[in-house]
């Protein structure tokens, strides 16, 4: 489990196809404190660490299944790309965002980017099947970042990125047409399921 509070911006060092997609990610994390088999959310996708190293810089490797590639934007990873990272939640950690599983539901498209004071307001378009789970003042995880929804109109919803979020995550480089990993709020999923039950 995660909180959607990004704690590092990693960098893709290399990717290769080995049956699955394997990626090496440079990180500011102390790799001596990461175990093989640990879960790290990478742009919101819960991935398993399969190798670690510290030369020439701290890095970890993950393997990404074809199923995960088909449901996320991880297939677009190229060397140099920055990614949002979060270590798994530990008992007793502060829950600053909301409960995030790292199981991406689909992709949302950036359809508008507009400066608003020092912030940036971004409008996203969710897939129709997921749009019903997104509500004003509710939570979503986008590329692993816990965010509050400002407004919703049909499949479109808006989020405001304050300067701190822009500086500490990859959201400082958001642009029109970006496809981002969307995880809907777990509570919304369960409420919808209860309403469907006869």
């Amino acid at each position: 489990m995660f909180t959607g509070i990004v704690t590092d911006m990693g960098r893709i060092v290399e990717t290769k196809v080995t049956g699955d997609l394997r990626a090496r990610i440079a990180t500011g994390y102390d790799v001596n404190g990461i175990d093989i088999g640990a879960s790290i959310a990478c742009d919101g996708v819960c991935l398993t660490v399969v190798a670690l190293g510290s030369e020439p810089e701290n890095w970890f490797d993950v393997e990404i299944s074809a199923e995960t590639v088909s449901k996320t934007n991880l297939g677009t990873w190229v060397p140099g790309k920055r990614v949002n990272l979060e270590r798994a939640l530990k008992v007793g950690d502060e829950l600053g965002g909301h409960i995030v599983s790292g199981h991406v539901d689909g992709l949302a498209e950036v359809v508008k980017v507009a400066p608003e004071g020092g912030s940036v307001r971004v409008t996203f378009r969710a897939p129709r099947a997921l749009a019903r789970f997104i509500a004003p003042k509710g939570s979503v995880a986008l590329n692993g970042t816990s965010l509050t929804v400002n407004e919703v109109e049909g499949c479109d919803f808006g989020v405001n990125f304050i300067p701190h979020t822009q500086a500490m995550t990859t959201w400082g480089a958001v642009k029109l047409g970006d496809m981002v990993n969307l995880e809907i709020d777990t509570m919304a999923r369960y409420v919808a399921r209860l309403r469907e039950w006869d």
Side-chain angles (χ1 to χ4, degrees):
M1 300 302 288
F2 305 92
T3 67
I5 302 300
V6 172
T7 53
D8 186 30
M9 268 195 291
R11 187 184 78 258
I12 303 302
V13 175
E14 65 179 19
T15 61
K16 56 185 171 184
V17 177
T18 59
D20 289 326
L21 178 64
R22 187 172 176 127
R24 176 158 296 175
I25 302 172
T27 182
Y29 294 145
D30 177 3
V31 294
N32 294 315
I34 300 174
D35 294 327
I36 299 294
S39 294
I40 298 179
C42 305
D43 265 356
V45 182
C46 178
L47 297 173
T48 301
V49 174
V50 297
L52 296 158
S54 57
E55 295 297 331
E57 60 191 326
N58 289 346
W59 58 267
F60 63 92
D61 282 0
V62 292
E63 289 178 329
I64 307 157
S65 72
E67 170 70 10
T68 299
V69 170
S70 75
K71 298 283 192 288
T72 68
N73 64 11
L74 274 54
T76 65
W77 280 2
V78 294
K81 179 173 176 55
R82 305 292 290 188
V83 294
N84 295 322
L85 301 177
E86 182 188 357
R87 303 275 313 265
L89 184 64
K90 294 181 181 138
V91 174
D93 283 353
E94 180 180 335
L95 183 59
H98 71 282
I99 296 293
V100 176
S101 69
H103 302 157
V104 170
D105 295 294
L107 294 172
E109 180 183 1
V110 174
V111 294
K112 185 176 180 184
V113 178
E116 192 171 278
S119 300
V120 173
R121 184 175 293 268
V122 179
T123 303
F124 299 89
R125 182 159 296 144
R128 183 166 294 282
L130 298 177
R132 69 190 183 110
F133 295 102
I134 301 170
K137 306 309 174 194
S139 297
V140 291
L142 297 170
N143 278 354
T145 311
S146 174
L147 297 162
T148 301
V149 175
N150 288 335
E151 69 282 328
V152 178
E153 185 175 333
C155 292
D156 292 357
F157 65 97
V159 172
N160 194 57
F161 292 92
I162 62 172
H164 176 79
T165 304
Q166 294 174 58
M168 301 307 291
T169 70
T170 60
W171 290 108
V174 65
K175 61 187 184 308
L176 201 64
D178 283 351
M179 300 300 290
V180 302
N181 295 321
L182 165 65
E183 181 182 331
I184 58 172
D185 184 44
T186 300
M187 294 296 288
R189 188 189 326 266
Y190 283 116
V191 168
R193 179 64 177 141
L194 286 169
R195 291 186 65 185
E196 291 170 358
W197 193 260
D198 290 333

